[in-house]
C-alpha cells in the first residue's frame, strides 16, 4: 500500500544525500581518489537503504534498534575523536570508559525525556556531532579546544564569528556522511521501544541517583588524580587528544572552582604585607604625567619565535623608539584569544596563574570593586578615567566590570562617528584619534592629569580573508610565505604607523605625558608557519622560551626618563613598572609586586621563570615556592575575601 508520509521521508532523505554528495564531489575535485570512491559507495548504500523494503519483523526491528541504541555512545565517541584523527582503541581503557559513561548519560537523558530509543539516539548524535564540528573549527582558529569556561563566552564567539572562514574539509564531509548514514539506518529500523509509566518512573529515579553518584565521584573525590587524568594549561589540545574530547572538556569543568590557598588566614596576610606600607610613597614627592595605556589587539612581533625575511620592516617606528622609552618582552597567559585576561592582569596586578584553569575573571570572578590602576591614579587626582574599545561594549562583560575597576566612562563602537575601518573593524588610527579627542576634552575641564585605557580591535583574528581596505605592502620572502601571516603583518604595520602619529602628537604637548603600548596576545596563525620558523621545535608553546606567549611592550614619555630594556616581564607586573617609571605614588601591593618581580620576573597561567633563568611549571618544586605561596595568599585576600580585604594595602587613601 502506498504510504504518502513514508514516500515524502524517502524523497527528503534522497535529496539530502544527493546534495551532500554533490558538495563532497566538488570538494574532492583535486583531492584523494580513494576518499571520493568511499564517499560514492556510501552514497549508493544510503540510496539502497532509503528505498529498500525493511525485511524484518517488528520484533526484530526492536531488537536491532536496541542494539543500535547501545552502540550509539560508541559511535558518537568514534565520530568525535575522528575529527582529531584519534583512534579510540588507542585511548587508555580508564579514559575510554569515562568517555562512554559521560556520553551514555546524555543519551539516556534524552531517552528519559522522549521515551523513544529512535529519537533519543538521533538527537544525541546530532548534538554531539555539532559540538565536534564547533570544536574542530575552534581548534583551527585558536589552537585550543573548547574549554568549560568558554561557555560563558559564547556571545563573544558569536560576535566575531563573521570574521573567520568556515571552510569545509575532508574530515567534516566524511564524518557528516557517516552520521547521516547511521541516522538513516536508525530511521529505517524505526525502533519505538517505550517504557511503561511505572517502569519509566523507576528508571528515571535510578538514573538521577546514578548521575548524582557519578557527579560526586568525578568532582569530589581523587578519581581523576588517581587515574592520572588531567588537562594542562600548557597544551589543552594535547590533553584532549590523550583523554578524549568529551572527558577532556569535563575535566576542565573541575578546574572552575576557586579554593583558598593552602595556609590562608588573615594572620598570614597581615604578616606578608606588614613591611609594605603605602604611606611610604604617599609622603614622598611624586609626579603625575598624563597616562595613556593601550592594549593593542593581537599586536606582536613574530620574530621572537623564529627568523623570517620580509620585504620591509612591519614595525619600524616602534623598533627605533628608544629615547625616553622603556621596552621589552611581555609574557602573557594567553595565546590567540581570551583578551580580557591580559587586561585583567595588567590593570590589577593579579595573575591568572592562581585562578581556576582557563578562567576569564571578567566573566566569573569580579563582582565587587577591585583594586586597579584606575583607582590608584584617581586617588592622585587624575581625570578622564575612561576605557575605550571600538567594538561591542557588552563583550566580555566590560560594561559591568569596568566600573568595578574604577573607570568612570566607557567609549564603544557606538561613540565613533563614521570611523575608518580596516577589514571589518574600526582602525587603530581611529581608536588613537579618540584618545586625542578625549584628552583635548579633558583640557577644557582643567589641567589635572589625564588617564585613559584603550583596547583596540583592528588586528583581531580571522586572517584568512582578503579585504580591499588593507594594503599588502609587506611580503614574506623565501619559502616561508603564508597569506594569512602576510595579512597579519600588514595589520601590524598599520598599527605601527598609527602609533607613530599618536606619539608625534603628544611629543608636541607641553604637559608631561606617558604612553604605554602592549599587545594582548599573539595571533592564532597557521601551525605550519610557526613550525617553519621556530627555533629547534615544532611546539608553539615551547617550554623553554614560552615564545608563543611573548608580545612587545613600550613605555614612551615626552620628557626625560631612564631608558630600560626588559627581556622578561609578565603582564601582572606591568602597571607597577609603569608607576615606578613615572615616579607616581604606588600602593603597598605595587611595592609587593615589584619586589616579587625581582625574584620571579615572569609568572603566567602557563608557568614561571625564576631569576635563575629556569622555567618552572606551576606545580614544580622550585626555590620560589614560598614566594608564590605568599603571592597567592595576598591575591586571594584581594579578589575573594572581600569582607576582610586589607584595603589600605591595595588602595591609596581617597581612592573612592
Amino acid at each position: 500500500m502506498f504510504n504518502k508520509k513514508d514516500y515524502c521521508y524517502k524523497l527528503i532523505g534522497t535529496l539530502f544525500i544527493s546534495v551532500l554528495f554533490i558538495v563532497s564531489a566538488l570538494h574532492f575535485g583535486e583531492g584523494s581518489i580513494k576518499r571520493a570512491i568511499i564517499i560514492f559507495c556510501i552514497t549508493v548504500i544510503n540510496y539502497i537503504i532509503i528505498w529498500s523494503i525493511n525485511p524484518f519483523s517488528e520484533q526484530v526491528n526492536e531488537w536491532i534498534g536496541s542494539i543500535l541504541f547501545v552502540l550509539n555512545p560508541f559511535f558518537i565517541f568514534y565520530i568525535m575523536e575522528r575529527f582529531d584523527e584519534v583512534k579510540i582503541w588507542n585511548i587508555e581503557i580508564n579514559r575510554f570508559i569515562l568517555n562512554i559513561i559521560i556520553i551514555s548519560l546524555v543519551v539516556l537523558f534524552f531517552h528519559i525525556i522522549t521515551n523513544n530509543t529512535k529519537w533519543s539516539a538521533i538527537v544525541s548524535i546530532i548534538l554531539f556531532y555539532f559540538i565536534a564540528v564547533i570544536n574542530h573549527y575552534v581548534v583551527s582558529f585558536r589552537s585550543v579546544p573548547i574549554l568549560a569556561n568558554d561557555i560563558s563566552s559564547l556571545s563573544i564567539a558569536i560576535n566575531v564569528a563573521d570574521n573567520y572562514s568556515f571552510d569545509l574539509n575532508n574530515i567534516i564531509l566524511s564524518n557528516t556522511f557517516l552520521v547521516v548514514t547511521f541516522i538513516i539506518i536508525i530511521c529505517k529500523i524505526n525502533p519505538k521501544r517505550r517504557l511503561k509509566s511505572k517502569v519509566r518512573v523507576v528508571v528515571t529515579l535510578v538514573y538521577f541517583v546514578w548521575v548524582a553518584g557519578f557527579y560526586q565521584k568525578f568532582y569530589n573525590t581523587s578519581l581523576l588524580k588517581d587515574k592520572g587524568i588531567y588537562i594542562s594549561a600548557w597544551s589543552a589540545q594535547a590533553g584532549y587528544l590523550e583523554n578524549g574530547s568529551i572527558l577532556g572538556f569535563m575535566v576542565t569543568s573541575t578546574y572552575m572552582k576557586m579554593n583558598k590557598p593552602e595556609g590562608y588566614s588573615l594572620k598570614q596576610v597581615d604578616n606578608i604585607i606588614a613591611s609594605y606600607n603605602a604611606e611610604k610613597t604617599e609622603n614622598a614627592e611624586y609626579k603625575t604625567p598624563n597616562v595613556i595605556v593601550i592594549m593593542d589587539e593581537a599586536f606582536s612581533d613574530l620574530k621572537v619565535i623564529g627568523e623570517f625575511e620580509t620585504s620591509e620592516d612591519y614595525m619600524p617606528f616602534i623598533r627605533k623608539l628608544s629615547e625616553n622609552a622603556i621596552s621589552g618582552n611581555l609574557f602573557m597567559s594567553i595565546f590567540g584569544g581570551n583578551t580580557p585576561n591580559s587586561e585583567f592582569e595588567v590593570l590589577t596586578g593579579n595573575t591568572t596563574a592562581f585562578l581556576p584553569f582557563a578562567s576569564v575573571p571578567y566573566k566569573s570572578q569580579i563582582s565587587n570593586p577591585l583594586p586597579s590602576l584606575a583607582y590608584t591614579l584617581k586617588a592622585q587626582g587624575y581625570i578622564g578615567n575612561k576605557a575605550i574599545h571600538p567594538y561591542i561594549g557588552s563583550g566580555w562583560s566590560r560594561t559591568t566590570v569596568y566600573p568595578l575597576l574604577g573607570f568612570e566612562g566607557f567609549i564603544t563602537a557606538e561613540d565613533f562617528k563614521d570611523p575608518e575601518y580596516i577589514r571589518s573593524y574600526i582602525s587603530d588610527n581611529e581608536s588613537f584619534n579618540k584618545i586625542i579627542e578625549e584628552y583635548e576634552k579633558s583640557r577644557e575641564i582643567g589641567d589635572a592629569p589625564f588617564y585613559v585605557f584603550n583596547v583596540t580591535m583592528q588586528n583581531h583574528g580571522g586572517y584568512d580573508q582578503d579585504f580591499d581596505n588593507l594594503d599588502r605592502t609587506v611580503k614574506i620572502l623565501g619559502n616561508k610565505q603564508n597569506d594569512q601571516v602576510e595579512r597579519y603583518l600588514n595589520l601590524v604595520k598599520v598599527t605601527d604607523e598609527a602609533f607613530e602619529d599618536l606619539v608625534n602628537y603628544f611629543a608636541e604637548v607641553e604637559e608631561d605625558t606617558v604612553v604605554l603600548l602592549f599587545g594582548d596576545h599573539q595571533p592564532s596563525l597557521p601551525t605550519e608557519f610557526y613550525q617553519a620558523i621556530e627555533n629547534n621545535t615544532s611546539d608553539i608553546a615551547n617550554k623553554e622560551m614560552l615564545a608563543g606567549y611573548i608580545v612587545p611592550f613600550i613605555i614612551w614619555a615626552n620628557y626625560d626618563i631612564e631608558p630600560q630594556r626588559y627581556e622578561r616581564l609578565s603582564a601582572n607586573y606591568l602597571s607597577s613598572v609603569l608607576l615606578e617609571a613615572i615616579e607616581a605614588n604606588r600602593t603597598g601591593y605595587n611595592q609587593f609586586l615589584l619586589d616579587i618581580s625581582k625574584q620571579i620576573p615572569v609568572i603566567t597561567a602557563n608557568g614561571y621563570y625564576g631569576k635563575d633563568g629556569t622555567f618552572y611549571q606551576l606545580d614544580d618544586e622550585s626555590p620560589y615556592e614560598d614566594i608564590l605561596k605568599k603571592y597567592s595568599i595576598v591575591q586571594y585576600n584581594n579578589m575573594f575575601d572581600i569582607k576582610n580585604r586589607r584595603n589600605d594595602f591595595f588602595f591609596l587613601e581617597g581612592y573612592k
Side-chain angles (χ1 to χ4, degrees), residues 437-448:
E437 179 184 322
E438 288 300 308
Y439 164 72
E440 291 177 347
K441 286 181 181 178
S442 75
R443 298 308 86 185
E444 296 173 4
I445 298 172
D447 58 0

Side-chain angles (χ1 to χ4, degrees), residues 193-264:
R193 187 179 294 277
R194 298 176 184 274
L195 300 174
K196 294 181 180 180
S197 297
K198 291 182 179 180
V199 176
R200 188 180 181 191
V201 170
V202 173
V203 169
T204 301
L205 289 174
V206 171
Y207 171 81
F208 282 107
V209 169
W210 208 94
V211 168
F214 181 78
Y215 179 92
Q216 171 67 19
K217 190 74 173 175
F218 195 86
Y219 287 99
N220 298 320
T221 71
S222 60
L223 170 69
L224 298 178
K225 183 178 180 180
D226 293 343
K227 301 297 182 183
I229 298 171
Y230 66 95
I231 301 295
S232 171
W234 191 262
S235 180
Q237 177 63 359
Y240 276 41
L241 295 178
E242 180 182 6
N243 294 299
S245 54
I246 287 297
L247 177 58
F249 176 84
M250 293 297 293
V251 171
T252 66
S253 71
T254 68
Y255 301 148
M256 295 175 68
K257 183 180 179 181
M258 183 66 210
N259 296 313
K260 285 184 181 180
E262 184 180 348
Y264 178 84

Side-chain angles (χ1 to χ4, degrees), residues 26 53 60 72 82 112-113 126 150 155 203 214 275 293 354-355 367 388 445 451 457 465 517 587 602:
L26 293 173
I53 298 174
V60 172
N72 191 25
R82 196 170 185 271
I112 287 173
I113 292 175
I126 292 174
D150 289 330
S155 61
V203 169
F214 181 78
S275 60
V293 179
F354 301 139
L355 299 180
S367 56
I388 300 173
I445 298 172
Y451 168 57
M457 198 65 187
Q465 301 179 51
L517 172 76
T587 66
V602 168

Side-chain angles (χ1 to χ4, degrees), residues 38 191 212 242 572 576:
I38 292 173
E242 180 182 6
N572 56 306
S576 296

Side-chain angles (χ1 to χ4, degrees), residues 16 38 103 123 151 191 220 255 281 375 411 416 428 451 490 563 567 573 599:
F16 186 84
I38 292 173
I103 295 171
V123 171
I151 302 303
N220 298 320
Y255 301 148
T281 55
Y375 281 120
I411 297 169
F416 286 75
D428 280 2
Y451 168 57
N490 281 280
E567 291 305 320
Y573 301 128
Q599 300 299 316

Side-chain angles (χ1 to χ4, degrees), residues 265-469:
S265 70
L266 292 177
K267 183 178 180 180
Q268 273 284 71
V269 174
D270 291 336
N271 288 338
I272 294 169
I273 70 176
S275 60
Y276 297 96
N277 193 332
E279 291 181 3
K280 290 180 180 178
T281 55
E282 281 187 344
N283 293 329
E285 291 186 6
Y286 61 91
K287 295 182 179 179
T288 54
N290 299 315
V291 174
I292 296 163
V293 179
I294 301 168
M295 187 177 79
D296 203 277
E297 172 65 34
F299 184 77
S300 72
D301 182 1
L302 298 180
K303 289 190 176 182
V304 298
I305 298 176
E307 286 299 320
F308 58 95
E309 291 186 63
T310 55
S311 58
E312 59 181 293
D313 194 350
Y314 45 87
M315 52 171 68
F317 177 74
I318 291 175
R319 288 194 209 281
K320 72 179 182 182
L321 191 60
S322 57
E323 187 177 357
N324 297 323
I326 298 171
S327 62
N329 294 322
L330 194 65
F331 287 69
M332 316 307 287
S333 291
I334 56 173
F335 171 85
N338 279 2
T339 289
N341 284 13
S342 295
E343 59 184 278
F344 162 79
E345 291 190 327
V346 170
L347 293 175
T348 68
N350 299 321
T351 173
T352 55
F354 301 139
L355 299 180
F357 177 82
S359 287
V360 180
Y362 277 20
K363 300 293 291 186
S364 56
Q365 276 116 10
I366 301 178
S367 56
N368 294 281
L370 186 65
S372 72
L373 179 62
Y375 281 120
T376 300
L377 294 177
K378 282 168 64 176
Q380 300 176 71
Y382 277 75
I383 62 172
N385 301 314
K386 293 182 179 179
I388 300 173
H389 181 48
Y391 200 58
I392 300 169
S394 59
W396 295 117
S397 300
R398 286 187 176 100
T399 50
T400 301
V401 171
Y402 277 164
L404 298 176
L405 293 178
F407 290 107
E408 298 173 340
F410 185 20
I411 297 169
T412 67
E414 296 177 353
D415 301 301
F416 286 75
K417 306 303 180 185
D418 300 320
E420 172 195 41
Y421 282 82
I422 301 292
R423 300 186 300 157
S424 56
Y425 297 116
I426 293 175
S427 71
D428 280 2
N429 188 59
E430 288 284 353
S431 198
F432 297 168
N433 284 340
K434 183 63 72 172
I435 292 173
I436 295 172
E437 179 184 322
E438 288 300 308
Y439 164 72
E440 291 177 347
K441 286 181 181 178
S442 75
R443 298 308 86 185
E444 296 173 4
I445 298 172
D447 58 0
F450 169 78
Y451 168 57
V452 71
F453 174 60
N454 180 204
V455 179
T456 71
M457 198 65 187
Q458 172 192 288
N459 303 335
H460 195 280
Y463 312 109
D464 52 357
Q465 301 179 51
D466 269 321
F467 288 84
D468 57 13
N469 59 354

